[in-house]
Amino acid sequence: MKSWIIKCVSVSALLLSATFANAVDIQPNSLYPQVEFDTSAGKIVVELDRTRAPLTVDNFLTYVVTGHYDGTLFHRVIADFVVQGGGLDVKQEERPTQKPIVNESGNGLKNELGTIAMAREANPHSASSQFYFNMADNKNLDPSSRRWGYAVFGEVTSGMEVLAAMAQTPTDFNSKLGWPDFPVTDIVLNKATLLPRE
């Protein structure tokens, strides 16, 4: 009896997930969806890996297609480390997010130059909307036998030169937010678009 209940719950969860995915059109059957970032510095395209990070990709694409990222800032820039965005609007106010997701950092993908990963707080399962691009091979962000890492879920396929330029943007301490490494000149993500399937 217990086994039957578990199977019913699992099937129901899958149906709900599929219904939600279809409702917001995140291409649930595409294993490697692509997203274009139209930024104030130029365009970047990433290919996501749903085979390795299905929960993370679905979460990210939901934010993309609902317009959450449109008109947001890249608010943390550290040369030879990361370029991070996805949380603040152009008024430097945090946008509301969905519930945090399970950390998929143990998926075999590494925080290497040109990959995209989820930002999070100290709690390993606290990632919601913020993401970052690795601007170096950041092995310290990968999981180990003693700690959770940061979940990589795709890689840049075009626009690395745009990211490289962004990474060199002068930064300073933002007194309003109390955050370091904040670009002195705004770098805006004008629009994130889920590209049509090839």
Side-chain angles (χ1 to χ4, degrees), residues 5-59:
I5 292 172
I6 291 171
K7 286 179 182 175
C8 284
V9 170
S10 298
V11 169
S12 296
L14 286 172
L15 288 173
L16 283 172
S17 175
T19 301
F20 180 70
N22 289 331
V24 295
D25 191 23
I26 59 172
Q27 298 178 5
N29 298 319
S30 175
L31 297 180
Y32 302 100
Q34 295 186 46
V35 172
E36 179 184 78
F37 296 82
D38 180 2
T39 80
S40 57
K43 291 187 178 181
I44 304 158
V45 176
V46 297
E47 181 178 84
L48 310 181
D49 191 340
R50 201 177 241 129
T51 66
R52 297 287 189 93
L55 298 175
T56 308
V57 169
D58 284 2
N59 175 71

Side-chain angles (χ1 to χ4, degrees), residues 149-184:
Y150 292 75
V152 174
F153 62 101
E155 64 181 346
V156 176
T157 56
S158 70
M160 274 305 295
E161 71 284 355
V162 174
L163 277 171
M166 290 165 65
Q168 298 305 314
T169 300
T171 62
D172 202 350
F173 181 81
N174 183 303
S175 56
K176 175 184 175 181
L177 300 168
W179 293 357
D181 309 308
F182 203 96
V184 173

Side-chain angles (χ1 to χ4, degrees), residues 54-66:
L55 298 175
T56 308
V57 169
D58 284 2
N59 175 71
F60 181 76
L61 289 180
T62 299
Y63 283 114
V64 168
V65 301
T66 56

Side-chain angles (χ1 to χ4, degrees), residues 62-189:
T62 299
Y63 283 114
V64 168
V65 301
T66 56
H68 175 90
Y69 295 130
D70 300 351
T72 56
L73 296 174
F74 286 95
H75 64 269
R76 184 179 183 224
V77 173
I78 305 174
D80 301 317
F81 184 45
V82 299
V83 171
Q84 182 174 330
L88 296 179
D89 65 21
V90 292
K91 295 180 180 178
Q92 299 182 10
E93 295 175 354
E94 291 192 58
R95 289 200 168 166
T97 62
Q98 302 298 319
K99 291 181 181 179
I101 58 172
V102 173
N103 189 322
E104 293 183 303
S105 64
N107 61 19
L109 299 175
K110 305 295 183 185
N111 280 274
E112 297 174 338
L113 174 65
T115 57
I116 184 172
M118 292 304 294
R120 62 172 175 81
E121 298 174 356
N123 177 347
H125 307 293
S126 59
S128 57
S129 69
Q130 291 192 30
F131 61 90
Y132 64 89
F133 293 101
N134 281 294
M135 301 310 297
D137 291 343
N138 295 314
K139 294 181 181 180
N140 59 313
L141 301 180
D142 292 334
S144 72
S145 59
R146 295 181 175 223
R147 70 168 192 270
W148 287 89
Y150 292 75
V152 174
F153 62 101
E155 64 181 346
V156 176
T157 56
S158 70
M160 274 305 295
E161 71 284 355
V162 174
L163 277 171
M166 290 165 65
Q168 298 305 314
T169 300
T171 62
D172 202 350
F173 181 81
N174 183 303
S175 56
K176 175 184 175 181
L177 300 168
W179 293 357
D181 309 308
F182 203 96
V184 173
T185 303
D186 286 351
I187 308 173
V188 182
L189 173 49

